[in-house]
């Protein structure tokens, strides 16, 4: 069964790991948001893509919530000593991956080709595919002006209220060919429990024309009115959207026929049905690898039971 998950941030990366465990090698593709990407000291850093690569490879740094485990920051310390701003925690092992990606791209590889090569070298049996080979960059409008996503998320610690979001380059960008193939060829497309506005909207803007609503199942990133990780609820509220699982369902009603919400939000199931979506009330909180595998298995079970 070919499954493709749209992923940005922690929740979707974890569900991708769960799906990788319950599906056969080669059955899973992960399409990652690249709007959080940013060039740092000449190297393209791809946080959402790299989090998926590292998690699938068993290299992820669970303590810090980004980058590689057992990391050191000697290069960053040197940059600081040389007067560079050191607010973005680029680790030494992480730099190794950025140097390879940069080298592959200098040799002519597209971003998706370079990512596929890195996945091969990490011996992954999952296709990790950036949504586009073209640059798309989130710009966060705040009262103090526009910030890049990493300036807002890391340097400003998500504190400035978000007055608006725009995705620089999105109009000119085209979806990565492998991403189109992964969506078109999927029996099931899962919209992962990611930030709908920051992570999923850019992917759907590019791949939406290739999505078939009856084959799309979305998982709410909001549980009991809270986001388990990251600024999802704050951003949805600041941009005038209902920061609840029902608000997320409304955001996805046009693209997804199936919607998974947490047992804490069971009372919202009727509201989801009223949107023309089929609700599935599951335990969506993934506390560990077992939780990831459990949710993945449940998602496939309810999908197969839906008989689409
Ligand atoms: N997040 C932080 O909160 N602080 C950091 O210093 C930081 C560094 C970093 C380096 C590489 C990388 O791939 C991700 C990094 N992140 C950091 C996470 C990143 O800002 C977010 O994961 C995504 O952009 C949003 O999901």
């Amino acid at each position: 069964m070919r499954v493709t998950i749209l992923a940005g941030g922690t929740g979707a990366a974890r569900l991708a790991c769960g799906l990788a465990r319950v599906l056969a090698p080669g059955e899973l593709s992960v399409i990652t948001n690249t709007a959080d990407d940013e060039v740092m000291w000449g190297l393209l850093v791809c946080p959402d893509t790299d989090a998926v690569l590292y998690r699938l490879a068993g290299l992820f740094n669970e303590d810090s919530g980004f980058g590689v485990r057992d990391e050191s920051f000697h290069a960053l310390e040197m940059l600081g000593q040389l007067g560079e701003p050191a607010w973005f925690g680029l680790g030494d092992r992480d730099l190794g991956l950025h140097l390879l990606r940069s080298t592959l791209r200098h040799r002519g590889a597209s971003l998706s080709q370079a990512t596929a090569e890195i996945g091969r070298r990490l011996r992954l049996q999952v296709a990790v595919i950036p949504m586009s080979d073209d640059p798309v960059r989130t710009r966060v409008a705040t009262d103090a002006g526009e910030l890049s996503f990493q300036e807002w998320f890391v340097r400003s610690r998500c504190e400035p209220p978000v007055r608006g979001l725009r995705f620089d380059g999105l109009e000119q960008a085209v979806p990565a060919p492998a991403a189109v193939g992964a969506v078109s060829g999927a029996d099931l497309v899962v919209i992962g429990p990611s930030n709908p506005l920051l992570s999923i909207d850019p992917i759907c803007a590019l791949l939406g024309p290739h999505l078939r609503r009856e084959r799309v199942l979305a998982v709410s990133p909001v549980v009991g009115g809270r986001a388990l990780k990251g600024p999802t609820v704050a951003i949805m509220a600041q941009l005038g959207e209902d920061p609840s699982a029902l608000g997320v369902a409304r955001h996805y009603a046009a693209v997804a026929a199936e919607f998974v919400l947490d047992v804490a939000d069971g009372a919202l199931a009727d509201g989801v049905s009223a949107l023309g979506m089929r609700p599935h009330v599951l335990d969506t909180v993934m506390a560990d690898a077992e939780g990831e595998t459990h949710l993945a298995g449940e998602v496939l079970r309810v999908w197969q039971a839906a008989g689409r």
Side-chain angles (χ1 to χ4, degrees):
M1 176 185 183
R2 288 160 305 170
V3 178
T4 294
I5 181 171
L6 312 186
T10 299
R14 301 194 63 168
L15 181 54
C17 288
L19 287 166
R21 291 188 199 103
V22 298
L23 291 166
E27 285 189 323
L28 179 64
S29 299
V30 187
I31 296 178
T32 55
N33 169 42
T34 61
D36 293 358
D37 296 4
E38 189 155 342
V39 175
M40 303 279 188
W41 297 290
L43 299 168
L44 179 63
V45 179
C46 308
D48 285 348
T49 303
D50 296 350
V52 172
L53 289 167
Y54 289 142
R55 281 187 181 276
L56 289 170
L59 290 173
F60 190 69
N61 190 320
E62 279 294 355
D63 300 331
S64 61
F66 60 84
V68 192
R69 67 176 188 318
D70 312 324
E71 185 59 284
S72 58
F73 294 88
H74 300 300
L76 192 65
E77 284 154 21
M78 184 62 172
L79 282 162
Q81 212 174 321
L82 295 167
E84 283 295 296
W87 52 268
F88 191 73
L90 213 47
D92 298 319
R93 301 181 76 193
D94 196 24
L95 272 171
L97 180 131
H98 303 315
L99 290 170
L100 172 61
R101 180 160 47 213
S102 182
T103 301
L104 293 171
R105 295 182 69 218
H106 279 312
R107 289 179 191 155
S110 66
L111 180 59
S112 50
Q113 289 166 340
T115 305
E117 174 60 17
I118 290 166
R120 269 192 294 279
R121 297 189 189 196
L122 290 171
R123 293 175 180 67
L124 301 187
Q125 297 182 316
V126 172
V128 179
I129 311 165
M131 68 187 190
S132 176
D133 291 326
D134 304 314
V136 178
R137 297 290 176 265
T138 302
R139 303 293 295 167
V140 182
T142 73
D143 295 337
E146 260 196 352
L147 302 175
S148 78
F149 178 75
Q150 299 304 334
E151 286 170 343
W152 180 77
F153 185 84
V154 180
R155 196 181 63 192
S156 307
R157 289 184 301 284
C158 308
E159 282 159 8
V162 176
R163 301 303 183 210
L165 286 178
R166 68 185 180 89
F167 300 104
D168 234 358
L170 190 55
E171 293 75 25
Q172 297 77 18
V174 297
V180 174
V183 165
S184 307
D187 299 303
L188 168 62
V189 175
V190 176
I191 296 181
S194 305
N195 186 314
L197 304 175
L198 276 176
S199 303
I200 301 298
D201 280 358
I203 300 176
C204 284
L206 288 163
L207 288 151
H210 304 281
L211 291 173
R212 282 157 295 172
R213 185 178 184 274
E214 70 280 1
R215 295 191 174 194
V216 180
L217 175 148
V219 180
S220 175
V222 177
V223 172
R226 286 178 43 253
L228 298 179
K229 180 120 178 11
T232 298
V233 166
I235 287 185
M236 288 183 76
Q238 286 159 9
L239 292 180
E241 295 218 14
D242 167 10
S244 71
L246 185 56
V248 174
R250 198 170 291 118
H251 195 86
Y252 292 141
V255 293
E258 313 286 339
F259 189 73
V260 171
L261 59 169
D262 190 78
V263 288
D265 294 311
L268 300 177
D270 290 346
V272 174
S273 301
L275 293 168
M277 304 169 93
R278 195 200 308 251
H280 302 283
V281 180
L282 300 176
D283 176 3
T284 65
V285 178
M286 298 173 277
D288 50 22
E290 188 192 340
E292 296 165 0
T293 308
H294 171 76
L295 180 55
E298 283 293 277
V299 163
L300 297 183
R301 180 182 61 78
V302 299
W303 167 253
Q304 273 145 358
R308 296 260 183 195

